[in-house]
């Protein structure tokens, strides 16, 4: 099992906030066992356990039990990680969601066995963003800061009430009033998942705060950082790299990928299962990421997009896209034009 890590930028941002609230910088780093030199480059990695210790030390030294919520609410992710800058180079929030998922390991590299941390799911006709992090109740502060950051970022893009409802797996803390203030929507505790219900139209919200040229540069940098992080690359990573040049051929199947890897179909299935994912999940996630990029760019038709991501006809692609996002490809493109 790989050691879980957090970007040094997050640790540095948390320390800066705690210092503003009265904590001593040296006491914070000493308690967490963090060398201040390791925080000078925000792309460095800090062991997850030390980050968790830092969060708890910061809460104690500031006397602010809701510090994780305030960290998510008040500190812009653009100041902490390249992932924040990348999201603003996307055309829509749907594309940003896909990019944040792709590069989420650059922020917090929790043990998901190669699976995506965030999911977009429908339940009883409602759309939810789901945090799939395992054992979330062992460190609920990570959920607090992530969800508060989502709400804060959505408001920055013009959404007065970005969430419709919030579900959390842990018990309500003594400072639950801060949840009500930050989310401005019903917050339910001791639920079966950590999820935020959203209006589907949020996912078609226009962003484009950064030029696409700069977005490309940032992607190159993020890819390099991700490659560094994945030096002992997962099976999922190998599968994705092989799928990319195969998609448009329409000959995408687990047997072809297994052959290129030099293993049997059963072995590849077993390796992906050990990473808590499947070939179909990896393929769908990659197709969605690419489809959003093609459709948001406005230079490729729906039919061409279907071909490029490996579908033999538009109808099959449309069914898959709606299953992934709740929208048809045509509906997604129309929504982009409507917000221009």
């Amino acid at each position: 099992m790989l050691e879980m890590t957090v970007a040094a930028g997050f640790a540095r941002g948390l320390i800066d906030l705690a210092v503003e609230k009265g904590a001593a910088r040296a006491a914070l780093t000493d308690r967490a066992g963090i060398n201040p030199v390791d925080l000078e480059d925000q792309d460095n990695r800090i062991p997850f356990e030390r980050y968790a210790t830092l969060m708890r030390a910061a809460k104690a030294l500031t006397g602010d039990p809701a510090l994780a919520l305030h960290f998510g609410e008040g500190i812009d992710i653009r100041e902490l990680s390249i992932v924040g800058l990348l999201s603003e180079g996307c055309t829509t929030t749907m594309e940003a969601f896909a990019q944040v998922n792709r590069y989420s390991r650059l922020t917090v590299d929790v043990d998901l066995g190669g699976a995506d941390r965030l999911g977009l799911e429908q339940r009883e006709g409602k759309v939810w963003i789901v945090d799939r992090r395992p054992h979330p109740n062992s460190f609920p502060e990570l959920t607090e800061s992530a969800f508060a950051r989502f709400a804060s970022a959505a408001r920055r893009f013009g959404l007065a009430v970005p969430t419709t409802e919030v579900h959390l797996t842990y018990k309500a803390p003594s400072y639950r009033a801060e949840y009500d203030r930050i989310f401005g929507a019903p917050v339910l505790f001791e639920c079966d998942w950590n999820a935020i219900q959203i209006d589907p139209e949020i996912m078609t919200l226009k962003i484009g705060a950064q030029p696409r040229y700069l977005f490309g540069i940032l992607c190159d940098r993020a890819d390099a950082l991700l490659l560094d992080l994945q030096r002992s690359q997962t099976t999922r990573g190998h599968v994705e790299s092989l799928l990319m040049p195969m998609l448009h051929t329409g000959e995408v199947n687990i047997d072809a990928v297994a052959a290129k890897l030099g293993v049997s179909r059963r072995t590849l299935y077993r390796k992906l299962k050990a990473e808590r994912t499947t070939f179909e999940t990896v393929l769908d996630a990659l197709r969605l990421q690419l489809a959003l990029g093609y459709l948001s760019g406005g230079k490729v038709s729906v039919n061409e997009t279907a071909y490029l991501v490996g579908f033999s006809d538009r109808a099959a692609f449309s069914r898959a896209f709606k299953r992934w996002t709740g929208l048809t490809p045509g509906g997604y493109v129309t929504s982009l034009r409507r917000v221009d």
Side-chain angles (χ1 to χ4, degrees), residues 6-13 15-16 25 29 34-46 54 79-81 221:
V6 178
F10 276 76
R12 189 171 70 190
I15 289 173
D16 288 344
R25 190 176 299 272
T29 54
I34 294 174
N35 186 339
V37 174
D38 293 336
L39 303 178
E40 293 176 0
D41 181 352
Q42 68 180 33
D43 293 325
N44 280 341
R45 310 302 300 181
I46 302 297
L54 172 64
E79 301 295 327
L80 308 177
S81 168
R221 171 62 176 162

Side-chain angles (χ1 to χ4, degrees), residues 6 17 21 56 115 117 132 142 164 175 184 202 215 218 233 241 310 314 327:
V6 178
L17 177 63
K21 289 177 170 284
R56 289 162 181 158
R117 177 178 168 185
R132 298 168 175 156
L142 193 59
T164 307
Y175 49 88
I202 288 178
F215 174 73
L218 291 171
Q233 199 175 21
S241 66
R314 174 172 175 155
L327 298 169

